[in-house]
């Protein structure tokens, strides 16, 4: 499975960005994008990659890092094989490369936030100026 992320950029504090990630390359097993949990991680300079948000295969049970709750919203469109991250009220501490991810196994709601990742996107830079 390949993931292609987009939507990053430079924004002032308090601004908004919407990240998108399109998945492709599912095998002939009969499993599709709609069978897997998805999510977003980020990595700031000099820091480890950290979990940001995840959503199960049904588009339910969103789960967020505490510092982004109430500001970020994860969603998915299974018809378009796409996961989104709407980021509002951005802060300089949100500056990082953002990576989308898809679970390694289907039908596991906690797989992404547990780090059980099948594929990663290439990353998109988000820079928030003060």
């Amino acid at each position: 499975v390949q993931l292609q992320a987009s939507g990053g950029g430079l924004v002032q504090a308090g601004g908004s960005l919407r990240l998108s990630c399109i998945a492709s390359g599912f095998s002939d097993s009969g499993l599709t994008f709609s069978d897997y949990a998805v999510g977003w991680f980020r990595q700031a300079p000099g820091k480890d990659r950290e979990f940001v948000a995840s959503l199960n295969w049904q588009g339910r049970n969103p789960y967020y890092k505490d510092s982004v709750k109430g500001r970020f919203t994860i969603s998915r469109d299974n018809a378009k094989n796409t996961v989104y991250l709407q980021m509002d009220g951005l802060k300089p501490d949100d500056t990082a490369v953002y990576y989308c991810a898809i679970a390694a196994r289907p039908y596991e709601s906690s797989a992404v936030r547990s780090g059980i990742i099948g594929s990663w996107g290439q990353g998109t830079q988000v820079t928030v100026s003060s």
Side-chain angles (χ1 to χ4, degrees):
V1 175
Q2 294 80 47
L3 302 177
Q4 180 71 38
S6 62
L10 173 63
V11 64
Q12 289 187 333
S16 298
L17 284 174
R18 188 194 196 202
L19 307 183
S20 301
C21 178
I22 300 174
S24 62
F26 291 91
S27 69
D28 294 332
S29 66
L31 295 171
T32 66
F33 177 76
S34 63
D35 298 314
Y36 294 88
V38 290
W40 293 89
F41 290 71
R42 68 187 183 187
Q43 187 168 18
K47 296 186 177 180
D48 293 334
R49 189 174 299 188
E50 64 179 7
F51 169 82
V52 175
S54 66
L55 195 61
N56 77 359
W57 72 97
Q58 298 167 309
R60 299 174 185 169
N61 298 329
Y63 197 88
Y64 297 97
K65 174 181 174 62
D66 284 346
S67 63
V68 308
K69 286 180 181 177
R71 300 188 297 120
F72 290 11
T73 303
I74 186 171
S75 62
R76 66 189 296 165
D77 185 338
N78 287 340
K80 296 181 179 179
N81 283 10
T82 302
V83 55
Y84 304 97
L85 186 67
Q86 177 66 42
M87 304 185 294
D88 300 317
L90 282 161
K91 304 175 181 180
D93 284 349
D94 295 318
T95 295
V97 178
Y98 283 71
Y99 298 89
C100 54
I102 191 166
R105 299 188 292 262
Y107 314 125
E108 290 193 21
S109 293
S110 64
V112 170
R113 66 177 185 264
S114 298
I116 306 172
I117 305 300
S119 295
W120 293 94
Q122 86 286 6
T124 185
Q125 176 70 47
V126 172
T127 302
V128 185
S129 62
S130 57

